[in-house]
Amino acid sequence: MSRLTRPSQQPIYSAAEKFIDEAMRSEGSLFVPDRRVWKLENVREFHLLFVEQEDTSKDSFNKKLVRQLESASDDTRVLAAELMFFHSLGVFNQKSVSKRAMIEPLLEGTGIEIPKEFDSALEDGVSNQGAALSHRDKHIRLLAELMLAWKQLSAEEVDDLLSDAASFWRLVFDIPGRAGDITQRNMLIHLVFPDEFEPIAAAGVKNDIVKAFGEYVSDKDANIDQKLAEIRQALSGKHGQEFTFYQDDVKAHWGTVKESALDLPSDPVDAIGAMMNAMYPDDDLRELILNVLADAVETAHEVNPKCWGLGPDAKHTY
């Protein structure tokens, strides 16, 4: 199961479910009960003001967005704030106060505030999006394009898409976009189908995982998320149904495990052993690597025992 299980992340999924119910299944509102905010006409107005009338100035994204919505109706401003809120659910590397600073200015003058029930959903996130947040304009543009297309679907089409992860995936990745919006596409499919798609924003990370665990992929022509699903199924027997690709014993196969993330013994020799076990959990591979290192040390010593050293302070170890 790809859904994250940390208690602080459960309000995120609850908020995402409410967005699906209010904005995608109906014309309601997350912030204002019984108000029809997500009507096609409001989505069109937001798309016109933000996407079609693009602000290419060098001002910050949020300053430009607020300016673009100056002539918008209150309902469209609330819609924009709710869309920004939904976007923020996937962001781990941003504090709650910063997320609010992106959302609250959009509500100024409407008399509407972010409901208290969503406070906890803003405290955590799903994925560290790193420098990708510099493309936030492209992320929101992608969501605007999706919702404009979505609101022109029939009720039957909506039901079908929200009950079939594969169909939803095709819709999301068929939307025309711009370089830099892939992290939002990846977060979108996870927030709508958290049990089917991984909580991984970076396309590069997905590629690294598939490359590392390629032996578990039966269909080399499948899309990246189908491959990840097959890998998850294969690894669940060893790591449990709720494992994540970022836990140390799994990440050691496709990425770098930070030393600070390990509970290392104070003794340097024991610490090296713990690091090797974490980085190379496969016994045969670990033994092979250690043998190569041992051979390298022996060769270096034979060449010149005074030109190299081992230990915490190697220059004094001959």
Side-chain angles (χ1 to χ4, degrees), residues 9 53 59 187 211 244 253 263 270 296:
Q9 292 168 319
Q53 299 179 12
D59 288 335
M187 280 295 92
K211 183 178 180 180
T244 77
H253 291 277
D263 184 16
D270 291 340

Side-chain angles (χ1 to χ4, degrees), residues 227-244:
K227 293 177 180 178
L228 286 170
E230 193 168 12
I231 292 170
R232 169 168 288 280
Q233 184 177 10
L235 296 181
S236 292
K238 179 179 180 180
H239 299 287
Q241 296 294 322
E242 296 179 350
F243 84 89
T244 77

Side-chain angles (χ1 to χ4, degrees), residues 56-73:
T56 58
S57 71
K58 295 184 179 180
D59 288 335
S60 68
F61 161 70
N62 219 50
K63 184 175 182 179
K64 291 192 290 186
L65 179 56
V66 170
R67 186 166 61 225
Q68 286 173 289
L69 296 179
E70 286 178 348
S71 63
S73 66

Side-chain angles (χ1 to χ4, degrees), residues 87-88 90-95 99 102 125-137 139 180 182-184 187 199-205 246 258:
H87 157 76
S88 75
V91 181
F92 173 77
N93 54 311
Q94 189 175 32
K95 295 183 181 297
K99 293 179 179 181
M102 304 292 292
V126 171
S127 178
N128 189 328
Q129 299 185 24
L133 291 183
S134 63
H135 299 297
R136 185 176 265 118
D137 59 326
H139 298 180
I182 185 63
T183 56
Q184 184 60 72
M187 280 295 92
I200 300 173
V205 169
Y246 286 96
K258 294 181 179 179

Side-chain angles (χ1 to χ4, degrees), residues 7 72 185:
R185 294 177 196 256

